[in-house]
């Protein structure tokens, strides 16, 4: 069933005019989200991607090129193409640079919606490298003690290979809570946890109906989350000359025909450039095993970064990927519009 | 008065047997802490440093050498020398590598107490580079849902040059609260904020008397703080073959004669390897100015990372560095022991 879903995404993107590389990359990134249970960055995005690829915001057949190259770093000009294609290509190049220089970094210019940050960090880990992927995004998070939206949720993803295991995988927003969690609380009528979101003017609220912005990670020490978001902003937008989060046109429109000027930043590290591979691998194995076996609080379980996602991936591999009603409706429209066969049955 | 304090630190370290490079680096790092108001990592440490330099844990005259070098990265073997000397030397080399390759990273082996992480990130920013400095440390922070001390407070420091301004400077522990804040609450009899510390077994407590471990940054989303601490652990300890936080002998002893096997990791990025310097500088200036002028919540003020420290630095430049009674007592003992003149008057 996952294969059918993948085929459907490919067929739709291709019929919408995306070239083969864009189709592959966007599908791969969405399936990363859907496989690992990160549905906000999964196939739910297909409809949005078709819209922006056909309305002019995103170039469906980009000519990406390296605008600058210097030693172990480069800048990739994504020619307003799809963010997943730009990000996979940049990380692939960062890994090649790290193969030669021990470390490699690629800053991306003129890109579009990033999708799941962890997908690109994983691309490095799958090649045996430590990968780091960051991107700024629509302004939605206040500063520490701030009263207005400033940074995006500016995610940080990092993946590290672990022998005989799936990678150690951290994929986190620098906000205190994801926005889709606020939406979930809204729909179920629950109160929010303390210190995670604010009403207009920046005052704390636990009422999801009143949320106008998210708090930075850290509660009373929110300068930490805001500082990490700032680091993401500097690497993604300042080091690339792209738009700061508060200057970005909103992802949802109304303007869907103008490129948004998004940047991003990818870093790869080659472990055996620092230390013999065996020592590194033994160290990672022991670190992760000790972590997983560390005693938990009553009623809880200790997980390594990524473990929750790997459990979801196994379950979905067996049971298929659940499609929410809104996404299913959009899929039926897309199938009709592009004359593509849609089969969501297991 | 700051100059007199600096002279005192130098004279004591030198009389305790430290070579000139160790004396310079340790004094520079402690003065970074004391100047910027980070007293936990300021001259308070002098007494501890003398102890470990004279009892065998830290080599007072190390022969540091690069154990490996590959393209834009290297591993520095610090020969069990002082952590400040190792860290400054590693960052200096990372900057040199970044000058040639756009980015440079140096992992440090066989080092000792790190001191203020921001000091080394600042060394890169002062040279016009983006600097990142991380180090693992004594196990004192539980995992997300964990019931036992696992990671250290594992700090992340990052500094970015801003034209006509002091650098953007983030220096943060990945724990929810610093341990010395817990001690402060204990001495004043105040309750702790929610979700920052735990009693034995990992259960939350707001009673500073019951604190057995700190929580990772993030409250209900503590997997983020624990994940960031893990990234620091991997770069500092796994990529160097050094001790994981939970394997480290305690900083305070009783064993003060055996090297602790600490690692650390330094990264430098050359901005104009990615984009023309003017664009980068204009971007940083605008980003930081917009941030500082962003509206604040009622009764609060929005600060850029480092602003609080720069205010402290200006005040202390004018008024001098306050010395707490315990540190003053230790200074008098050191002055007597090494026949060094001590003058703390303005």
């Amino acid at each position: 069933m996952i294969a059918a879903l993948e085929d459907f995404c490919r067929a739709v993107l291709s019929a919408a005019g995306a070239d083969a590389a864009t189709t592959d990359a966007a599908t791969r990134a969405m399936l990363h989200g859907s496989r690992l249970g990160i549905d906000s960055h999964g196939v739910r995005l297909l409809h949005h991607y078709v819209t922006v690829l056909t309305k002019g915001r995103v170039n469906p057949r980009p000519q990406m090129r390296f605008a600058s190259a210097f030693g172990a770093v480069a800048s990739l000009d994504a020619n307003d193409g799809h963010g997943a294609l730009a990000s996979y290509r940049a990380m692939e190049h960062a890994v090649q640079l790290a193969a030669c220089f021990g470390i490699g970094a690629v800053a991306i210019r003129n890109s579009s919606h990033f999708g799941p940050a962890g997908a690109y960090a994983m691309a490095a880990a799958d090649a045996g490298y430590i990968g780091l992927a960051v991107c700024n995004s629509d302004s939605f998070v206040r500063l520490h003690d701030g009263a207005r939206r400033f940074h995006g949720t500016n995610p940080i993803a990092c993946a590290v290979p672990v022998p005989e295991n799936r990678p150690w995988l951290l994929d986190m927003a620098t906000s205190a809570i994801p926005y889709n969690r606020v939406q979930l609380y809204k729909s179920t009528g629950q109160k929010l946890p303390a210190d995670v979101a604010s009403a207009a003017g920046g005052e704390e609220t636990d009422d999801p109906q009143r949320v106008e912005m998210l708090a930075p990670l850290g509660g009373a020490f929110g300068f930490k989350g805001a500082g990490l978001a700032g680091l993401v902003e500097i690497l993604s937008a300042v080091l690339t000359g792209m738009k700061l989060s508060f200057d970005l046109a909103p992802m949802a429109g109304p303007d869907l025909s103008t490129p948004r000027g998004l940047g991003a930043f990818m870093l790869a590290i080659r472990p055996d450039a620092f230390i013999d591979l065996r020592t590194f691998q033994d160290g990672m194995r022991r670190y992760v095993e000790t972590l997983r076996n560390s005693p938990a609080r009553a009623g809880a379980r200790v997980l390594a970064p990524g473990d929750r996602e790997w459990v979801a991936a196994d379950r979905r591999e067996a049971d298929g990927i659940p499609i929410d009603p809104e996404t299913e409706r959009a899929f039926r429209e897309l199938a009709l519009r592009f004359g593509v066969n849609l089969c969501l049955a297991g």
Side-chain angles (χ1 to χ4, degrees), chain A:
Chain A
M1 181 271 187
I2 294 183
L5 190 60
E6 196 169 337
D7 288 347
F8 177 71
C9 291
R10 283 179 192 285
V12 168
L13 288 167
S14 190
D19 62 16
T22 299
T23 298
D24 283 351
T27 302
R28 183 179 168 197
M30 287 188 289
L31 266 292
H32 170 95
S34 286
R35 278 203 173 91
L36 272 61
I38 313 161
D39 289 315
S40 55
H41 292 80
V43 295
R44 181 185 83 78
L45 290 166
L46 179 64
H47 181 260
H48 174 74
Y49 287 161
V50 166
T51 303
V52 293
L53 283 162
T54 52
K55 297 219 169 182
R57 177 192 283 176
V58 175
N59 183 348
R61 317 186 78 79
Q63 298 292 321
M64 300 193 180
R65 64 178 184 88
F66 287 97
S68 76
F70 182 95
V73 311
S75 289
L76 177 67
D77 187 325
N79 192 208
D80 301 319
H82 196 285
L85 179 58
S87 301
Y88 279 123
R89 200 160 278 183
M91 186 56 97
E92 194 181 319
H93 192 64
V95 164
Q96 286 166 356
L97 289 167
C100 299
F101 299 105
I103 192 166
V106 177
I108 306 172
R109 307 178 188 170
N110 299 312
S111 189
S112 63
H113 186 253
F114 195 49
Y120 319 116
M122 274 295 293
D126 285 342
Y129 290 67
I130 298 173
L132 180 85
V134 302
C135 183
N136 67 321
S137 56
D138 295 52
S139 174
F140 204 69
V141 185
R142 65 167 173 78
L143 291 163
H144 184 53
D145 283 332
R148 194 174 289 176
R149 297 175 181 190
F150 191 84
H151 290 124
T153 51
N154 292 13
I156 297 173
C158 184
V160 186
V162 186
E164 303 111 45
N165 277 266
R166 281 180 284 193
W168 180 99
L169 172 63
L170 175 68
D171 185 354
M172 57 170 269
T174 51
S175 55
I177 193 169
Y179 183 61
N180 58 16
R181 196 69 66 95
V182 174
Q183 291 174 303
L184 180 68
Y185 278 72
K186 196 189 279 188
S187 71
T188 57
Q190 281 178 281
K191 295 270 179 219
L192 292 167
D195 293 337
V196 300
S198 294
E203 60 175 298
E204 300 296 344
T205 183
D206 62 1
D207 176 357
Q209 303 285 351
R210 294 185 62 224
V211 171
E212 287 292 324
M213 62 196 91
L214 306 178
L217 183 71
F221 296 84
F223 76 90
K224 297 183 181 185
L228 291 168
L231 176 59
V232 171
E233 193 89 16
I234 290 166
L235 294 174
S236 304
V238 182
L239 203 57
T240 58
M242 290 293 108
K243 285 203 159 60
L244 294 165
S245 293
F246 51 74
D247 290 328
L248 283 170
M251 177 183 172
D255 179 1
L256 296 162
S257 60
T258 312
R260 293 174 77 211
L262 271 159
F265 184 85
M266 304 286 146
L267 178 80
I269 292 173
R270 179 176 164 170
D272 65 349
F274 290 90
I275 199 162
D276 68 283
L277 189 60
R278 179 68 179 273
T279 303
F280 178 76
Q281 291 181 327
D282 288 348
M284 278 309 296
R285 194 189 289 111
R286 178 158 178 271
Y287 169 65
V288 170
E289 278 174 9
T290 311
L291 193 161
R292 289 198 180 113
N293 292 318
S294 187
R297 300 204 280 187
R301 229 186 106 197
V302 168
L303 297 174
D307 282 358
R308 196 176 48 170
E309 286 78 7
W310 303 129
V311 168
D314 286 342
R315 198 175 48 231
R316 290 181 170 198
E317 193 63 45
D319 302 343
I321 291 166
I323 305 292
D324 66 87
E326 193 177 331
T327 299
E328 189 172 334
R329 206 154 43 234
F331 277 14
R332 295 200 187 286
E333 278 173 32
L334 290 167
L336 206 63
R337 172 172 168 198
F338 293 110
V340 167
N341 192 37
L342 174 65
C343 170
L344 293 176

